[in-house]
Amino acid sequence: MIWFFLSLPPLAGALAYGRAPFFAWFVAGLVWLSGLAWVGVWPIGAVVLTLLAYVAIMGVFLVPSLRKSLISAPTLSAFRKALPSMSQTEKDALEAGTVWWEGDLFAGAPDWRKLLAYPWPKLSDEEQQFLDVQTSELCRLTDEWESAQKQDLPQVVWDYIKTQGFLGMIIPKEYGGKGFSAYMHSQVVTKLSTRSSAAAVTVMVPNSLGPAELLLHYGTPEQKNHYLPRLAKGQEIPAFALTSPWAGSDAASIPDAGVVCKGMWQGEEVLGVRVSFDKRYITLAPVCTVFGLAFRMFDPDHLLSDTEDVGITCALVPWNHPGVDIGRRHFPLNAVWMNGPIRGEDVFMPLDFIIGGPAMAGQGWRMLMECLAAGRSISLPGSNTGMQKLTARTVGAYARVRYQFKTAIGRFEGVEEALTRIGANTYLSDAARVLTASSIDLGEKPSVVSAIVKYHVTERARQTVNDGMDVIGGKGICLGPQNFLGRAYQQIPVGITVEGANILTRSLILFGQGAIRCHPYVLKEMHAAQDNDLETFDKAFWGHIGYTVSNISRALVMGLTGSHFVKVPADIAPETKRYYQQLTRYSAAFAFLSDISMGTMGGALKRKEKLSARLGDILSLMYLVSATLKRYEAEGRQADDAPLMHWAVWDAMFKIQNAFEGVIANFPNKLFAAFLRHVVVFPIGRPYVVPSDRLGHDVAKLLITPSATRDRLVADSYVGTDLEDPVAALEAALLATVEAEPIEQKVKRAIKGGQFSPGLLIGGGVDALYAKALEARVITDVEYAVMRRRGELRDKVIRVDDFEYDFGLRAALEDVTPDDQNARRKVA
């Protein structure tokens, strides 16, 4: 029992002082024990003995030399033995990029003023004009169905992309590029993705993990001056070759290798590297004129380095360099954008081909990891948010225009469920996309956040598009120029797979990398252990202990009080206050749970991928909620948008609870799991259930009703003017349907009131009723014209493409005469 009481002073100190120093704990303990004597709880003698024991024990902590020799040194020794060995590539991956807002969430005490102070990005006048004019024109020029038939973008589209500077958006103006912001890059990709995946990917790749990004940060002056202007003008089309058949998600294990040697180049013997490589899934490879190449460099004769294994190196190689085999293509789920293999056997390259020159040999993996942190924050979040905006716009309109059982299908509760997810997921994904892109413009390279948005936006896009296909039914399963969602449905798995497969991103990276990068002490402890630095380890280790005690104290108090007394900024929207308070509590509980998981399982946690994935889910969902709340504030707390915000946040909070339960239920120590569940995380139960049906109804209604909220939700998605385009036709049909509905109700009331009888309706289709109503003068000529237009547009958008079938070709293939084939058809 005495040890229980002795544990309370440090707890009180932590509660009073946060991550309190040892002296604060010591003083708090003395005051507490003295108080026991003063109120007579214990006899004076017992208190004195306890005080002496307490002072002796705390003395070990208060005297640095004693603490280090008696506690820190043995702990460091044990830590060094338990610490798993790490390769240089693992170290580079862990240390690449920067820690941003996710660090606050991981630390257990998010500073909401810091989040709210981040500027919400805006386009410059030049950027806005490019988005409105050139990007819209590129959308207009691109016909996804036509391109799919030819399996390539038309030449006019290629020429426009190159001449208008789409390939050089991130290249500074001093090299002839546009010098656009990361946010603008994201906006262009998002808008193009509402029209054509081929155009979006063709523009996206050179501006993300293409050679331009690497050249900007690491290239030599000669490389920059030669390549960047040519890339900016579209005179060069770039690609980057990383993935091999034997190293996909485990890209650091690429087997492609080169040996430093001498060889002939442009008539002279020079020092270079002879490389063999086999790459696949390389976007733009079939049409590129220059490509980045990642390979492992070896120097057995020490011609360049003192080490034999120099490390992963990145080189820039012309497509027609001797020995390069390039030009064949893959068809990723029949997508139009160019993708294919790049191969080479014993290809000699001068050392000048290395990006950054010989000095950057072996630095390729760090270069890639740092650039990927930026590129992955923009490319797939942008393209997949674009697909969600397309789905929200088109499926919402279709659900209002399409009638079944004499009712717009968007008013059926089953369809409302799908529409609700579409709307809320689009709102949340767009918020995460914009917030993350803004971090790049603030100078961050958020490696953990980039993985979060890549994983969650692509997964939510999969849910959104699947929901959209469920709503449009038969319209969606027949490909053709009128199918506005079929191509997105086909290609959704591409985003799930590339730039880090989602399964591995969730189970290995979100928490595995996040725990080390975001934790305020773990990386410091690891470095100290690797360097056998007792001084640094002592400081980090005891800081870690205080951090853990602080988080469990805060989580416990906030949990017991329902987090009602958590301080949050006073100027936030009142309707969001409880979200900030609960998220603060979850952050503290998560920080403690993470520490306990790492402390009790150590290196084994890396192998417990399901637990790691659920911990990653908590961190990720907290970031997504933060982004959603930030968007709501930044956009002026639009009251009409509130249902989107509330549903998205409530759903994410519910999922955070489930992720906590998933970790606790599978915690190895069941006794401690019970303590976590009932004392730390859910002391008074779970506050969130699934979002209400009423709230879901409000969200679904926003998608099927023209309004400023709907416009904001699908902002900057492309809508043409040609009514033969399915998206343009849907927008027109939605407006026509809304205009026609009062007339439709008027006719129904007239029939019910006996004003006229429609009689037997023969011919005229489903709208023959309105011709009868006009004849009976129930509606006016103008109203009849409205109904006629609604009917024409409705029929246009619900039609399904059909095509001629060449029976002669089929007969030839089957060696059957056309007459026999026709006979078969007639029998059928």
Side-chain angles (χ1 to χ4, degrees), residues 195-218:
R195 175 66 171 173
S196 165
S197 66
V201 172
T202 301
V203 169
M204 176 178 80
V205 169
N207 289 287
S208 55
L209 190 59
E213 179 83 8
L214 293 168
L215 284 170
L216 281 170
H217 294 287
Y218 309 106

Side-chain angles (χ1 to χ4, degrees), residues 690-706:
V690 295
S692 72
D693 291 344
R694 178 70 257 176
L695 181 58
H697 169 78
D698 293 341
V699 172
K701 187 177 179 180
L702 292 173
L703 266 66
I704 67 174
T705 306

Side-chain angles (χ1 to χ4, degrees), residues 205-206 209-215 223 226-227 230-231 235-243 256 273 275-295 313-328 338-350 352-356 367-368:
V205 169
L209 190 59
E213 179 83 8
L214 293 168
L215 284 170
Q223 290 171 337
H226 175 75
Y227 279 112
R230 296 176 60 81
L231 289 167
Q235 295 171 337
E236 301 276 8
I237 298 177
F240 194 88
L242 174 61
T243 306
D256 312 284
V273 58
V275 190
S276 294
F277 50 93
D278 185 358
K279 304 290 189 178
R280 63 181 180 183
Y281 309 147
I282 311 306
T283 301
L284 297 184
V287 296
C288 75
T289 60
V290 61
F291 62 92
L293 176 69
F295 63 94
T313 301
C314 294
L316 202 56
V317 187
W319 74 280
N320 56 358
H321 187 71
V324 172
D325 179 8
I326 195 171
R328 296 180 65 81
M338 289 291 174
N339 187 278
I342 300 179
R343 303 182 179 97
E345 186 71 28
D346 290 333
V347 179
F348 180 77
M349 305 172 189
D352 288 343
F353 278 22
I354 297 174
I355 296 176
M367 293 160 58
L368 289 171

Side-chain angles (χ1 to χ4, degrees), residues 12 30 60 98 239 250 259 268 278 289 368 378 433 436 548 552 605 668 674 689 726 728 769 811:
L30 288 178
V60 175
T98 59
D250 184 16
V259 177
E268 298 182 10
D278 185 358
T289 60
L368 289 171
I378 296 169
R433 172 189 73 88
T436 306
T548 303
I552 187 176
L605 183 59
V689 294
L769 171 66

Side-chain angles (χ1 to χ4, degrees), residues 539-558:
K539 184 177 180 180
F541 178 72
W542 292 106
H544 192 160
I545 295 296
Y547 161 85
T548 303
V549 171
S550 173
N551 279 321
I552 187 176
S553 304
R554 295 175 62 252
L556 178 60
V557 172
M558 287 187 286

